[in-house]
């Protein structure tokens, strides 16, 4: 008997299966929210609404991925379908990896910091809060933020991935505007933290935000794909 052939549809099906696993893992993480014991009932209800909305979006993504995977692996999808799905997946990965520009609804966070009280850890917390709220693309001071990004702070001079960040600081994030804005302005959240540092932060929602900055990937030195 001949060995099974590796087709574009099979390869794409494997990629979609991996993406499905990531989506499911992300949904599981929604149950691990921290710091809830100190919030009021109103704040807890708002958090629950945000989590429910994020969960619904992930459920839809899981359903779409399962449908596409099953169609491709069963052979009912045409070559054109496989190529179209492959291009969509490449675009998605490019946006997540920061190698492509992105546009869509989201928020901007403008930070005015005359006393330079906003430190690197505060900016790092802001980025993490945006990620937790489902931001799909983030830009800080004109620098694209990706999974490997780091925030530097030398004598009050901020940087992201070694690129200097000027004040006032403008942060762009693409994702669900309501969820992102709620994550920023929740009591005890990042906006309140910034104000305690003597700075001011304003959050604005927008139906369309464009992020043109990109990230140049670095070739891995130690890691390699599992065969």
């Amino acid at each position: 008997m001949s060995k099974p052939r590796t087709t574009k549809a099979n390869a794409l099906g494997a990629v979609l299966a991996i993406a499905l696993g990531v989506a499911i893992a992300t949904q599981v993480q929604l149950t691990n929210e921290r710091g809830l014991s100190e919030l009021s009932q109103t704040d807890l209800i708002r958090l629950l609404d945000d989590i429910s909305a994020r969960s619904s979006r992930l459920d839809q993504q899981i359903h779409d991925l399962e449908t596409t995977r099953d169609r491709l692996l069963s052979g009912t999808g045409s070559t054109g379908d496989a190529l179209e799905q492959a291009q969509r997946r490449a675009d998605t990965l490019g946006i997540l990896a920061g190698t492509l520009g992105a546009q869509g609804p989201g928020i901007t966070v403008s930070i005015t910091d005359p006393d330079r009280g906003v430190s690197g850890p505060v900016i790092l917390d802001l980025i993490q809060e945006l990620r937790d709220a489902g931001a799909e693309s983030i830009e800080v001071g004109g620098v694209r933020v990706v999974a490997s990004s780091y925030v530097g702070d030398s004598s009050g001079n901020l940087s992201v991935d070694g690129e200097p960040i000027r004040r006032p600081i403008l942060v762009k994030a693409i994702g669900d505007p309501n969820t992102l804005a709620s994550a920023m302005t929740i009591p005890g959240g990042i906006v309140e933290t910034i104000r305690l540092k003597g700075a001011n932060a304003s959050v604005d929602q927008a139906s369309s935000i464009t992020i043109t900055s990109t990230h140049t990937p670095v070739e891995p030195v130690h890691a390699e794909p599992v065969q």
Side-chain angles (χ1 to χ4, degrees), residues 113 115-121 123 150-167 169:
D113 184 25
D115 297 329
R116 304 171 73 84
V118 175
S119 61
I123 297 299
Y150 61 93
V151 178
D153 187 344
S154 177
S155 301
N157 296 316
L158 301 176
S159 64
V160 174
D161 292 342
E163 296 291 331
I165 302 302
R166 296 180 179 178
R167 292 178 170 86
I169 304 168

Side-chain angles (χ1 to χ4, degrees), residues 206-220:
S207 59
S208 180
I209 288 177
T210 300
I211 295 178
T212 57
S213 59
T214 57
H215 171 76
T216 302
V218 178
E219 189 74 19

Side-chain angles (χ1 to χ4, degrees), residues 47-103:
L47 268 179
L48 180 60
D49 290 340
D50 291 342
I51 292 173
S52 297
R54 291 159 59 187
S55 179
S56 296
R57 291 196 302 273
L58 285 172
D59 284 338
Q60 184 60 48
Q61 292 175 12
I62 290 172
H63 174 73
D64 293 342
L65 287 170
E66 286 177 334
T67 301
T68 302
R69 178 202 60 190
D70 293 343
R71 187 176 72 252
L72 292 173
L73 292 180
S74 66
T76 58
S78 65
T79 302
D81 289 337
L83 292 176
E84 182 181 356
Q85 291 295 331
Q87 184 59 56
R88 289 181 180 177
R89 197 64 198 157
D91 291 342
T92 298
L93 294 175
I95 290 174
L96 296 177
T99 57
L100 295 177
Q103 63 181 4

Side-chain angles (χ1 to χ4, degrees), residues 57 61 95-96 130 134-138 144-145 173-176 180:
R57 291 196 302 273
Q61 292 175 12
I95 290 174
L96 296 177
L130 289 172
E136 298 171 355
S137 293
I138 303 173
R144 188 70 169 269
V145 175
I174 294 176
D176 181 76
L180 295 177

